[in-house]
Amino acid sequence: MERLGSVYILEERIGAGAQGDVWKGHKEGSEEPLAFKKLRPELARERNVIDAFLKERDTLERVDSPHVVRLRDMVTEGETLGLVMDYVGGGDLADVIREQGALAPELVVSYGTAIAAGLSAIHAAGLVHRDVKPANILMDDASTPATPRVADFGVARICDSAVSTRSTGGGAGTPLYMSPEAADGLPAAPSMDVYSLGAMLYEMCCGVPPFTGAPAQVLAQHARRDAGRPGGVPDELWNLLAAMLAKHPEARPPAAAVAAELERLG
């Protein structure tokens, strides 16, 4: 058990990622569970990272959607930077895909509608996620069936401002889901998230991402190859996926339009 700031108690470490560890805990005097992300010390020591989080704190906290894991508070003390968030206790979408493989089209549409709506709320606040992938989609088991919520929005971009060397290319993100222009290091844009969501929906349809292999090979395929159509995907759903995976950003629909089309298909 640890403390974070003067009012938060960290009970157990429940995960780890590229930017730091994730803990479950609560606020002193409350039994409501909360999630805490403690950034790695080397990131928390970077003044520009702290300044970026403080500068965008109001924007990050303003994103209020049932499809997003909300940022509740931020704690900075010494070499510690902690983000206080909603606690979501049903695992993540990566677990679902790992356990079930390809999902039925109606489930892909249902999950995709919620995720696209979450991304639309993030984009409406002027933010770009930049690391949309199944591990960053948490499954909220407070409802039955569990519903997806987008987590870690903005964190990858802010932390990336302090990282000068990258092993996978020019931009923040995960190669399996990274748009061609993100890999080239172009400025963050909502269309990057739409491409990543398209790659993720593709994986939900057939159990594997559109391209696999070593990071450099995957990035090259994102840039040059079209994804093959998985079997069993209805025509209208495939047409939407193909538009989301367009190589040129301007050809992709915005997240709000993706959410509306998936809702219509549902």
Side-chain angles (χ1 to χ4, degrees):
M1 186 176 293
E2 296 184 17
R3 295 192 71 92
L4 179 67
S6 59
V7 297
Y8 297 112
I9 298 171
L10 311 186
E11 298 164 352
E12 61 174 321
R13 183 173 172 270
I14 57 175
Q19 291 96 24
D21 294 338
V22 181
W23 292 70
K24 180 182 178 182
H26 62 276
K27 187 174 183 178
E28 204 166 46
S30 170
E31 295 184 1
E32 179 190 14
L34 295 170
F36 302 86
K37 184 157 197 169
K38 288 180 64 179
L39 294 194
R40 297 198 325 263
E42 58 267 34
L43 285 172
R45 282 194 293 266
E46 292 283 350
R47 188 68 242 177
N48 54 339
V49 170
I50 294 175
D51 289 346
F53 271 110
L54 294 176
K55 179 181 177 182
E56 299 202 16
R57 175 176 181 162
D58 289 345
T59 303
L60 292 167
E61 292 181 349
R62 195 168 63 243
V63 179
D64 187 9
S65 164
H67 308 298
V68 169
V69 178
R70 187 162 55 96
L71 180 69
R72 302 278 199 93
D73 194 5
M74 194 177 298
V75 177
T76 59
E77 53 179 14
E79 294 186 353
T80 297
L81 176 55
L83 309 178
V84 185
M85 301 168 291
D86 296 337
Y87 174 74
V88 180
D92 58 41
L93 185 57
D95 296 329
V96 175
I97 297 172
R98 192 161 43 245
E99 292 167 6
Q100 300 183 29
L103 306 180
E106 57 266 27
L107 197 55
V108 174
V109 167
S110 173
Y111 287 173
T113 300
I115 297 166
L119 288 176
S120 177
I122 291 167
H123 296 163
L127 298 167
V128 178
H129 191 293
R130 287 198 75 183
D131 197 15
V132 176
K133 59 184 178 182
N136 280 338
I137 307 299
L138 304 187
M139 302 303 295
D140 191 346
D141 59 2
S143 61
T144 305
T147 55
R149 295 174 66 184
V150 182
D152 268 4
F153 59 91
V155 175
R157 178 180 56 80
I158 293 174
C159 291
D160 186 60
S161 66
V163 178
S164 58
T165 58
R166 307 181 183 96
S167 60
T168 58
T174 302
L176 290 174
Y177 312 97
M178 191 184 293
S179 68
E181 69 276 14
D184 287 338
L186 295 184
S191 54
M192 294 178 177
D193 288 345
V194 171
Y195 184 96
S196 298
L197 176 57
M200 195 166 66
L201 293 177
Y202 184 105
E203 181 178 9
M204 292 162 64
C205 285
C206 61
V208 294
F211 306 113
T212 59
Q217 295 173 323
V218 171
L219 294 176
Q221 291 179 90
H222 279 302
R224 302 187 186 98
R225 286 184 54 191
D226 292 326
R229 179 172 178 174
V233 180
D235 289 343
E236 287 183 294
L237 178 56
W238 173 248
N239 291 339
L240 177 61
L241 290 182
M244 297 169 71
L245 291 170
K247 302 303 181 189
H248 297 290
E250 62 274 9
R252 300 172 203 148
V258 171
E261 176 64 6
L262 287 170
E263 187 171 27
R264 185 188 72 80
L265 293 177

